[in-house]
Amino acid sequence: MRYLTSSTGAGRLFGRMKDTVERYLIDPLFPLACEQCSAAVVGEERVLCAACMEKLTPIDRIRKDRCCRCDAIMTGTVCECTTAAFGTNRSLFDYEDVSMLMHRMKFSKRYSLARMFGTLMAEREADYIRRHDVIIPVPLHPRRRRERGYDQARIIAHAAGSAGVPVCEAAARRRYTRALTLTESAAERRVMVADAFSITDEDALCGRAVLLIDDVVTTGSTLSELARCVCEAGARCADVLSIARA
């Protein structure tokens, strides 16, 4: 049983009540299943069982030939990220290791997975998150939100913000673009996302260090376009944090 709660005082109170009911009344009678292996989860294990959580290997343990700036695998001595508008880009996992979980989160309305990944960001990248003044989730176009049923980046960002940085939804997606796949080149993606974003609250960004949060980074074109808009609106810098790097 999962509910999407608000960030208000009443929402937080409801969230605590919901957790208590789940833990002591619902779970003993109807154990939740691990999203990865379908084994029963117990106690503090709310989404993945302990064994599957242990298998989530941080990306820096398995990808050593990565650009220190954008996190991409290096194929030469110079990375293409030199043209990106964002600064540092970090990811928690390699996409191949979490692809099934990501698909369920994105297309099956698994709110609990989005919150889990956001909480992992707050736990594993707390120092990185706290270097910034504000968090901005990569916005979905309203049409895409209706198609998908919810905005996963928003939920991830609010959970990551528990590290101590406020979330500010100061950007909007003003142009609808078809869903990107892993087959488009970086150049094709840049054309597709050009002028896709607008800033709705410049005062919230002026002079501030901004952290952009998304679920997956592939070529970085979408995030680079958003970072450009954020910096043109007056932000001091724009960095990136994502769940996975494809």
Side-chain angles (χ1 to χ4, degrees):
M1 185 182 296
R2 294 290 184 264
Y3 301 96
L4 179 60
T5 59
S6 72
S7 57
T8 64
R12 289 192 294 271
L13 176 60
F14 177 77
R16 289 195 293 270
M17 292 173 61
K18 179 263 296 181
D19 288 342
T20 300
V21 170
E22 285 184 355
R23 183 175 302 175
Y24 295 108
L25 296 180
I26 303 298
D27 288 357
L29 297 175
F30 306 99
L32 297 174
C34 172
E35 290 281 2
Q36 183 75 38
C37 71
S38 299
V41 294
V42 295
E44 296 298 323
E45 303 169 353
R46 311 302 299 168
V47 182
L48 298 182
C49 67
C52 287
M53 184 66 78
E54 184 69 23
K55 293 176 183 177
L56 292 179
T57 306
I59 193 170
D60 57 4
R61 294 185 187 175
I62 56 178
R63 289 167 70 160
K64 301 298 184 182
D65 52 347
R66 295 181 300 123
C67 171
C68 63
R69 180 172 182 266
C70 78
D71 212 32
I73 293 180
M74 293 283 287
T75 56
T77 57
V78 179
C79 181
E80 291 185 358
C81 76
T82 53
T83 61
F86 54 75
T88 304
N89 173 15
R90 290 193 181 181
S91 301
L92 296 183
F93 308 109
D94 185 280
Y95 181 75
E96 291 185 2
D97 288 349
V98 293
S99 58
M100 185 181 77
L101 295 175
M102 298 290 285
H103 191 274
R104 286 185 176 180
M105 177 191 73
K106 210 165 186 176
F107 302 110
S108 299
K109 299 182 184 179
R110 292 295 206 273
Y111 304 101
S112 56
L113 279 172
R115 287 195 295 269
M116 180 199 78
F117 281 124
T119 300
L120 286 176
M121 284 181 173
E123 294 173 352
R124 300 185 180 188
E125 294 288 352
D127 290 342
Y128 178 59
I129 293 173
R130 290 170 188 153
R131 295 178 196 171
H132 302 84
D133 303 308
V134 65
I135 291 171
I136 295 181
V138 174
L140 280 180
H141 189 275
R143 176 178 165 186
R144 180 80 67 208
R145 190 181 301 114
R146 289 192 298 270
E147 292 171 351
R148 193 166 291 169
Y150 83 122
D151 186 342
Q152 77 279 357
R154 181 176 182 272
I155 298 174
I156 295 165
H158 279 276
S162 64
V165 178
V167 176
C168 178
E169 297 179 42
R173 194 137 189 171
R174 64 185 180 187
R175 187 166 64 80
Y176 180 83
T177 56
R178 69 173 177 81
L180 299 175
T181 68
L182 298 180
T183 59
E184 285 98 357
S185 67
E188 290 172 325
R189 284 170 172 258
R190 284 194 293 269
V191 172
M192 291 176 65
V193 299
D195 299 317
F197 301 101
S198 62
I199 301 302
T200 58
D201 188 355
E202 291 189 0
D203 291 340
L205 306 181
C206 188
R208 296 190 171 186
V210 175
L211 180 63
L212 307 176
I213 284 186
D214 204 2
D215 51 3
V216 181
V217 175
T218 305
T219 64
S221 300
T222 299
L223 284 154
S224 183
E225 177 63 17
L226 180 56
R228 181 188 65 79
C229 294
V230 165
C231 291
E232 287 183 354
R236 187 170 78 251
C237 66
D239 296 318
V240 173
L241 179 60
S242 66
I243 296 171
R245 174 82 199 196

